[in-house]
Amino acid sequence: MTVQWFPGHMAKARRQIQEKLKLVDIVYELLDARIPYSSSNPMMNEIIKHKPKLIILNKADIADPAVTQQWMNYFKQQNQAVITVDALHQNAIKQIVEASKVILKEKFEKEKAKGLRPRPIRAMILGIPNVGKSTLTNNLAKRKAAQTGDRPGVTKAQQWIKVEKELELLDTPGVLWPKFEDQRVGYNLAVTGAIKDTILHLDDIILYALDYLIQHYPDRLIERYHLSGPLDDKIAVLDEIGRKRGFLQSGGYVDYDKVYEIVLREIRGLKLGRLSFECPGDMKQEA
Ligand code: G4P
């Protein structure tokens, strides 16, 4: 389910999240490892202000590992704590607890020096729809705690999930809006399946994805679709895929709609392997 974000929703989400921030020591900003920039909220740092933050690159199991490593280096260079996670298949508790303890070491040592009793770290997950907030919450809770579905802000009555002796998590993650103003972000969210009912046209999404694949993963394309022609003409590539797969209409014309549908499904279904659609270098180029 996707949510329509209006300025009122955004203001409300922000307000609700800021209210909850008072209760926690640390924020887990969940990003899609395939598109860390496009899956971030444009105002995250403004919203959380000086609250310590751990970036969690989720869905690492389906992202290109070499590119994920580039992103890890990129965030570390900025002194931003970051870990990768596969919330769907892997127990993420240990990694998250360890990383949180490192970030909050000083704060907890100060509390101890003041004579305060040791207490668990309190945390909340934040992220845009579909980055895996509910999946990670369930993973940490080891039970079905979070309901999948996107609602602006934090909607349910809050409860703490005891993850371990050392960590307590707000059971409802904070839902934030994506960057709407950047069309490239819209394409990345659409290609990776984060937004389904999209105002973007399927042909534009595929042409965008194809462009990226031609530039970054030409061999995967050639191998998957047994392409023999040059890759510089995207329409010719779609044509060749259509003909090789037999997606033809009467008169022998390629049924492009079918090609778009299949190519998108195969990209999302990992038929071209683990792909990332953004690397830190792309952002530098833009800057
Ligand atoms: P949200 O709360 O942030 O909105 O996201 P949610 O947990 O609902 O996850 C969105 C989709 O992403 C789900 O797929 C979920 O299974 C998948 N997902 C979450 N974490 C991971 C991960 O680490 N690896 C992989 N491979 N997938 C992950 P879904 O229910 O099938 O929805 P959809 O794919 O049909 O949108």
Side-chain angles (χ1 to χ4, degrees):
M1 186 171 79
T2 49
V3 87
Q4 292 292 328
W5 289 95
F6 296 106
H9 283 141
M10 285 150 65
K12 190 173 173 201
R14 184 181 174 154
R15 215 170 38 242
Q16 288 178 326
I17 286 166
Q18 280 176 328
E19 225 12 71
K20 301 301 166 199
L21 279 172
K22 293 176 192 155
L23 306 173
V24 302
D25 302 298
I26 186 167
V27 161
Y28 299 147
E29 181 184 10
L30 206 54
L31 302 176
D32 184 325
R34 299 167 297 172
I35 48 166
Y37 173 76
S38 294
S39 60
S40 65
N41 169 270
M43 293 178 74
M44 178 61 78
N45 289 342
E46 231 175 281
I47 293 170
I48 68 166
K49 300 212 170 72
H50 301 298
K51 192 64 74 178
K53 178 175 87 175
L54 171 66
I55 289 185
I56 301 180
L57 299 176
N58 189 37
K59 309 198 187 186
D61 57 314
I62 52 177
D64 179 338
V67 178
T68 302
Q69 189 54 51
Q70 288 178 26
W71 279 106
M72 294 286 283
N73 298 342
Y74 169 83
F75 287 119
K76 282 178 188 163
Q77 271 164 17
Q78 300 184 342
N79 286 325
Q80 172 56 60
V82 59
I83 56 172
T84 62
V85 153
D86 158 14
L88 203 54
H89 308 102
Q90 173 204 59
N91 184 338
I93 294 177
K94 198 160 176 263
Q95 273 191 80
I96 291 177
V97 170
E98 286 311 309
S100 308
K101 283 205 294 204
V102 171
I103 297 169
L104 294 168
K105 190 165 181 271
E106 225 173 289
K107 178 176 180 177
F108 277 70
E109 274 174 0
K110 270 189 195 154
E111 287 190 5
K112 196 176 166 195
K114 279 188 205 158
L116 294 173
R117 284 199 7 218
R119 61 179 182 88
I121 293 169
R122 291 193 146 185
M124 80 180 290
I125 297 174
L126 288 180
I128 68 165
N130 266 310
V131 286
K133 296 178 299 301
S134 313
T135 308
L136 180 64
T137 306
N138 291 334
N139 177 310
L140 293 175
K142 294 192 206 134
R143 64 182 168 87
K144 287 276 166 209
Q147 277 172 10
T148 310
D150 312 323
R151 277 171 237 97
V154 183
T155 47
K156 282 196 303 186
Q158 296 301 321
Q159 285 175 12
W160 293 98
I161 296 170
K162 263 198 183 313
V163 174
E164 281 216 325
K165 225 170 51 214
E166 294 155 299
L167 179 66
E168 288 178 5
L169 184 71
L170 274 184
D171 77 343
T172 312
V175 184
L176 285 164
W177 59 95
K179 301 184 174 93
F180 306 110
E181 66 286 352
D182 184 342
Q183 204 178 35
R184 197 175 57 98
V185 168
Y187 286 129
N188 278 331
L189 293 172
V191 172
T192 53
I195 44 175
K196 287 192 186 106
D197 348 311
T198 157
I199 48 162
L200 301 169
H201 293 291
L202 189 59
D203 49 351
D204 289 335
I205 297 169
I206 285 296
L207 288 173
Y208 172 86
L210 204 52
D211 219 17
Y212 198 86
L213 295 178
I214 288 169
Q215 281 181 48
H216 294 84
Y217 300 101
D219 298 344
R220 308 262 193 108
L221 265 180
I222 292 168
E223 194 185 327
R224 175 74 196 165
Y225 298 110
H226 310 291
L227 301 174
S228 50
L231 297 180
D232 46 8
D233 179 351
K234 280 176 284 184
I235 304 299
V237 171
L238 289 171
D239 226 61
E240 195 179 341
I241 295 172
R243 290 190 188 284
K244 290 238 158 86
R245 291 281 177 100
F247 301 147
L248 300 175
Q249 292 168 319
S250 58
Y253 296 109
V254 170
D255 181 349
Y256 288 108
D257 286 340
K258 185 86 184 154
V259 180
Y260 300 150
E261 189 198 313
I262 295 299
V263 172
L264 189 58
R265 194 193 302 160
E266 296 199 345
I267 290 172
R268 287 182 183 163
L270 302 179
K271 298 287 188 211
L272 287 91
R274 292 163 66 175
L275 302 170
S276 292
F277 284 91
E278 226 165 37
C279 47
D282 299 339
M283 287 163 59
K284 273 190 209 131
Q285 268 173 25
E286 227 169 56

